[in-house]
Amino acid sequence: MSEGENTLYPVPARLHDASQCPEPYVKSVEQYKEMHRESIENPEKFFGKLANELLTWSKPFTTVKHGGLEHGDAAWFLDGQLNASYNCVDRHAFADPNRVAIIYEADEPNQSENITYGALLRDVSQLAGVLRARGIKKGDTVAIYMPMIPEAVIAFLACARIGALHSVIFAGFSAEALRDRVQDAGCRLVLTADQGKRGGKTIETKRIVDEALKACPSVETVIVCQRTGADVPMTPGRDYWWNEETSKRMTYLTPEPMSSEDPLFLLYTSGSTGQPKGVLHTTAGYLLGAAATVKYVFDYHPNDIFACMADVGWITGHSYIVYGPLALGATTVLFESIPTYPTPARYWELIAKHKVTQFYTAPTAIRALRRLGDEWVEGHDLSSLRVLGTVGEPINPEAWHWYNDKVGKGRCAIVDTYWQTETGSHIVTPLPGAIPTKPGSATVPFFGIDLAILDPVTGKELVGNDVTGVLAVKKAWPSMARTVYGNHQRYLETYLKPYHGFYFTGDGASRDGDGYIWIRGRVDDVINVSGHRLSTAEIESALIMHHSVAETAVIGAPDDVTGQCIHAFVCLKPGISQHSTDLTKELILQVRKVIGPFAAPKKIYLVEDLPKTRSGKLMRRILRKIIAGEADSLGDISTLADPSVVEVLIAKVAKA
Ligand code: WT7
């Protein structure tokens, strides 16, 4: 990834022109600084006020903030009660049932559909009724494995309505990955669809669920939504059709009052070990973080059309397709397809067709579209746009400029939003009307985020500007994850213990001379492919399950389009020929089968040996250097058990 540039780009004048744009909520750097200072010095006042402004409570909270990072017991808005589904549906349906909640932009462009808040209230109530009738109670966990159709959003909200936790598993995960996640959470019910549609291709969703459930004894019920109407096998006594079940239920179901700290959902994410973690978010703090960032980071105003291109299976979809926009009563776009289907103009057609005001996507998509040529973006009416967001990885200046010039026509704010599954909502980001931007920098901390850059070795905070270290947060904030499901120890060890008293992000970062934050990427064994987070250990353990594999080392290599891509070094068991042509293909298939297609290695090197120290520790650093073509700066390799492996590996990589 190329270094960013240090030019400051001012807020486009159009954002402050009342004849063209609504007045931004935060209008200047000074106002941002003042609000940020208050949010840190007096979080009780700042977040107490915001929580009453943005959320509706069935019982008011008494204590804004309790506990913190020291003991891993942060809690917000204690004694308060609210329901996330009420906040995202009912109150807007009561105000205006005809307001559009969801614009469903289906895989085929001519099949889009609008769902009003009134209809959403009915659909959510009916599905919640189905869950209840099937014995799901407050505190149970429901798995959602669904394509990007309105029923997926309805599924989230139906769970929240009765106080069941949802665990959404991205529909690109394989049967095995789905099985592991369903088992870990002990899910009692699975919400799914017959098939999925994406980029003109059909995905056998129900078949994957059937495969996964062969080993999930906790699952009693499967509710199957008909996306294509295909004839899929149904297991009697376990599987039921969505429409048949919902049609039997009342069109209104009273939402369950939930305490602020009651869990809202689990979302599995990869860490530095092979075992994915069920990150747990609670009701009030999470919802407030999602709503507050839609308001301030996207400068959302009534009647805006909000379009986040992520999948609901990732945290970006949770916070910026579902909870954030709906909590504010916005119209949210649900995009089922891919940016290049049927042509690379799809995004721009979507923006023009629905008059999108906020558009949010990943740098990898921007890079891919930029490569396909400007002609696809030219000639579409993109004048409705005000804020363009990116997420998932740093944006390189070339992509930033293309986004700014070709899509934003220099009249839109660009917000490079840095955050994580665990943070729940943005933690470092510009605000459209206030913060001048620098291409490649996520700029400044959001409200409530007391940011710190630490010396990675001593853990000491590096104060002042022009420093580089690891990125951490000094105080608890409302939308931070509260625990890892079933393993609070792991939560403490991953996030809170590495640097006592701080939340550790796992990312390296710099603060430049102007106080701007630059994210440098993960400092642990996490790889970021197209904004998807994968652990090297997870891919290694998938490969090792193959009968021919003795040992393997997976690393992230730089990639022009996907940011990073996966390279795997594989040592075969004795007697297995390296020259079997199908083996590489088989190994790729193996990863697709165990994790999912998005985790497939781009390159596999079949090798005799890996670089290890005499004590047997794998030297990934050496593999990274070889891949990066920096074999001339390997440093000291004399600690290797067998330094000659290096030459062999260099030759192998050069040939591949
Ligand atoms: C990791 C979190 C949060 C939504 C998507 C990914 C990287 C995320 C940025 C950004 C640089 C970024 C970090 C982070 N990341 N956004 N704007 N600039 N890096 O969520 O799967 O939890 O991954 O994505 O490395 O730790 P996730």
Side-chain angles (χ1 to χ4, degrees), residues 267-270 314-317 320 360 363 390-395 415-426 428 440-442 503 505-508 518-524 526 528 531-534:
L267 184 57
Y268 282 83
T269 188
S270 297
W314 307 113
I315 191 70
T316 308
Y320 301 108
Y360 195 27
T390 65
V391 58
E393 48 171 326
I395 180 163
V415 292
D416 171 356
T417 62
Y418 166 81
W419 59 299
Q420 310 176 298
T421 304
E422 296 87 341
T423 68
S425 52
H426 307 143
V428 184
S441 167
Y503 168 85
T505 60
D507 285 298
W518 299 77
I519 308 296
R520 303 290 181 204
R522 303 289 304 196
V523 296
D524 51 10
V526 167
N528 187 330
H532 296 324
R533 179 163 156 188
L534 292 155

Side-chain angles (χ1 to χ4, degrees), residues 377-380 382 388 403-412:
V377 61
E378 280 157 7
H380 299 279
L382 306 180
L388 297 173
Y403 202 31
N404 186 44
D405 300 345
K406 301 291 170 195
V407 183
K409 323 271 186 217
R411 324 152 59 240
C412 296

